[in-house]
């Protein structure tokens, strides 16, 4: 890393991780996750302002990897205008699939499945890149924390009605909503409902690891979805590599049951090797400050300003 002062942001829906690096020291901070229903860039600008107030850093570059970044919000010039008064001279924005890949595999070929509240898979081959899913909680994110939490709620209400088997997940739901008959109304009215649903993935992980049949079945189905995305992305970029590396990162993979099921499902595709990541999303956001247009992912980065 150069001596340039970088403020790196890994902006997810559950939380926002920030790393300040001035070439001689690093400091990590955390903030509340982005709200996908509101304007993105003012949220990032507030994170930058609060980071500067808390650390006293004057960064040259703000580099951000953002969950669900759309073309509408990928306006590095607009972000620079919001933070230029703080001394920032350049901004770089990328979809979190890019920063997840950079953090996990760096300059290597391979595929990275990043599964937290949402999920996105990115594969990089010798000449091509391929993104799979990352289409949000309404249209996609198969196998994500939200997907798992939604399946858990479905299972709980099926058990409540007598349409499905009993599950330990009911106790977790009752701890949050003592009257299950009113839970759906409370959840629909909750401004943070996506985050709330996704948080139930931790309950599924605990119940699955404890042997709950319903939670294990949900975990296995999620693993199948995630492995399917990985195999699809690899198929779109792979040329003649005899072995293609795959990384699994994000809180969803903290579940031992799901991780093991993912590894088994991935093994069904010939020549795929599950490898440990060299870093995580915030590491990739920091690496974003050094990426050039010659890098296979260089065209996926939106830039403004100059150093």
């Amino acid at each position: 890393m150069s001596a340039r002062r970088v403020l790196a942001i890994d902006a997810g829906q559950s939380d926002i991780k920030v790393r300040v690096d001035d070439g001689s020291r690093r400091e990590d901070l955390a903030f509340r996750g982005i709200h996908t229903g509101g304007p993105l860039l003012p949220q990032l600008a507030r994170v930058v302002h609060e980071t500067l107030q808390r650390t006293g850093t004057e960064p040259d570059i703000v580099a951000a990897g953002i969950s669900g970044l759309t073309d509408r919000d990928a306006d590095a010039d607009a972000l620079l205008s919001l933070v230029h008064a703080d001394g920032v001279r350049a901004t770089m924005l990328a979809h979190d699939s890019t920063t997840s890949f950079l953090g996990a595999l760096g300059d290597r070929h391979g595929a990275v499945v990043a599964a937290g509240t949402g999920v996105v898979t990115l594969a990089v081959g010798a000449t091509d890149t391929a993104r799979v899913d990352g289409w949000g909680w309404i249209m996609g994110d198969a196998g994500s924390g939200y997907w798992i939490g939604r399946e858990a709620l479905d299972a709980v209400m099926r058990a409540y009605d007598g349409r499905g088997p009993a599950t330990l997940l009911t106790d977790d739901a009752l701890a949050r909503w003592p009257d299950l008959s009113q839970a759906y109304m409370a959840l629909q009215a909750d401004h943070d409902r996506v985050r709330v649903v996704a948080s139930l993935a931790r309950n599924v992980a605990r119940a699955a690891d404890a042997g709950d049949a319903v939670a294990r079945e949900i975990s296995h189905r999620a693993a199948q979805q995630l492995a399917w995305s990985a195999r699809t992305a690899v198929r779109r970029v792979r040329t003649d590599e005899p072995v293609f590396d795959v990384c699994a990162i994000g809180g969803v993979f903290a579940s031992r049951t799901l991780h093991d099921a993912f590894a088994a499902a991935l093994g069904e595709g010939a020549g795929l090797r599950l490898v440990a990541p060299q870093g995580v999303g915030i590491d990739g956001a920091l690496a974003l400050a050094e990426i050039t247009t010659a890098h296979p992912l260089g065209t996926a980065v939106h830039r403004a300003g100059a150093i």
Side-chain angles (χ1 to χ4, degrees), residues 125-216:
T127 59
D128 295 310
T129 64
R131 171 183 155 184
V132 172
D133 209 345
W135 305 129
W137 58 278
I138 294 176
M139 297 174 62
D141 286 352
S144 68
Y146 179 88
W147 187 97
I148 292 169
R150 172 63 180 80
E151 293 297 304
L153 289 173
D154 182 79
V156 166
M157 299 317 295
R158 286 178 180 275
Y160 178 82
D161 288 340
R163 293 178 292 138
T167 171
L168 293 174
L169 299 173
T170 296
D171 293 336
D172 296 315
L174 285 169
R176 187 181 292 268
W177 302 288
D179 183 354
L180 289 181
S181 71
Q182 298 303 305
Y184 74 105
M185 293 299 293
L187 187 56
Q188 289 176 20
D190 195 326
H191 181 71
D192 277 340
R193 55 188 174 275
V194 173
R195 192 176 292 115
V196 169
V197 173
S199 72
L200 299 175
R202 290 190 293 270
N203 303 123
V204 175
R206 286 194 296 269
D209 291 347
D212 182 80
V214 171
R216 289 184 65 83

Side-chain angles (χ1 to χ4, degrees), residues 1-297:
M1 184 64 60
S2 72
R4 293 185 299 179
R5 296 166 298 184
V6 180
L7 191 159
I9 301 173
D10 178 26
Q13 297 173 66
S14 294
D15 59 14
I16 297 174
K17 299 178 180 66
V18 174
R19 177 169 294 167
V20 176
D21 189 314
D22 65 5
S24 61
R25 72 178 181 93
R26 287 184 177 181
E27 186 172 351
D28 290 338
L29 299 87
F31 297 87
R32 187 175 183 81
I34 58 175
H35 176 49
T36 56
L40 171 67
L41 298 183
Q43 296 180 64
L44 296 181
R46 282 194 294 272
V47 167
V48 172
H49 296 324
E50 291 184 33
T51 298
L52 302 189
Q53 291 173 1
R54 289 165 61 177
T55 66
T57 302
E58 296 181 356
D60 300 310
I61 304 172
V62 171
I66 302 153
S67 174
L69 182 67
T70 63
D71 291 342
R72 179 196 64 190
D73 289 322
D75 190 340
D77 286 295
L79 178 60
L80 182 58
S81 70
L82 293 173
V83 298
H84 187 264
D86 294 309
V88 177
R89 292 188 287 163
T91 53
M92 305 176 74
L93 301 177
H95 192 276
D96 65 338
S97 59
T98 297
T99 47
S100 293
F101 189 97
L102 291 171
L105 288 177
D107 291 329
R108 295 155 55 190
H109 295 165
V112 174
V113 184
T117 297
V119 61
V120 65
T121 297
L122 182 66
V124 175
T127 59
D128 295 310
T129 64
R131 171 183 155 184
V132 172
D133 209 345
W135 305 129
W137 58 278
I138 294 176
M139 297 174 62
D141 286 352
S144 68
Y146 179 88
W147 187 97
I148 292 169
R150 172 63 180 80
E151 293 297 304
L153 289 173
D154 182 79
V156 166
M157 299 317 295
R158 286 178 180 275
Y160 178 82
D161 288 340
R163 293 178 292 138
T167 171
L168 293 174
L169 299 173
T170 296
D171 293 336
D172 296 315
L174 285 169
R176 187 181 292 268
W177 302 288
D179 183 354
L180 289 181
S181 71
Q182 298 303 305
Y184 74 105
M185 293 299 293
L187 187 56
Q188 289 176 20
D190 195 326
H191 181 71
D192 277 340
R193 55 188 174 275
V194 173
R195 192 176 292 115
V196 169
V197 173
S199 72
L200 299 175
R202 290 190 293 270
N203 303 123
V204 175
R206 286 194 296 269
D209 291 347
D212 182 80
V214 171
R216 289 184 65 83
E217 192 265 342
I218 293 172
S219 299
H220 278 265
R221 285 194 288 114
Q224 291 286 344
Q225 293 290 333
L226 296 169
W228 191 0
S229 291
R231 292 196 302 270
T232 300
V234 170
R235 184 177 68 248
R236 287 170 52 186
V237 305
R238 192 173 189 175
T239 52
D240 57 355
E241 297 93 342
V243 178
F244 209 88
D245 290 344
V246 176
C247 266
I249 66 174
V252 162
F253 290 107
S255 165
R256 183 178 69 251
T257 299
L258 187 148
H259 187 279
D260 290 350
F262 175 79
L266 194 66
E268 297 171 5
L272 299 183
R273 175 176 59 194
L274 186 60
V275 299
Q278 64 186 33
V280 293
I282 190 61
D283 299 302
L286 189 61
L288 195 65
E290 301 298 322
I291 197 172
T292 68
T293 54
H295 190 281
L297 294 172

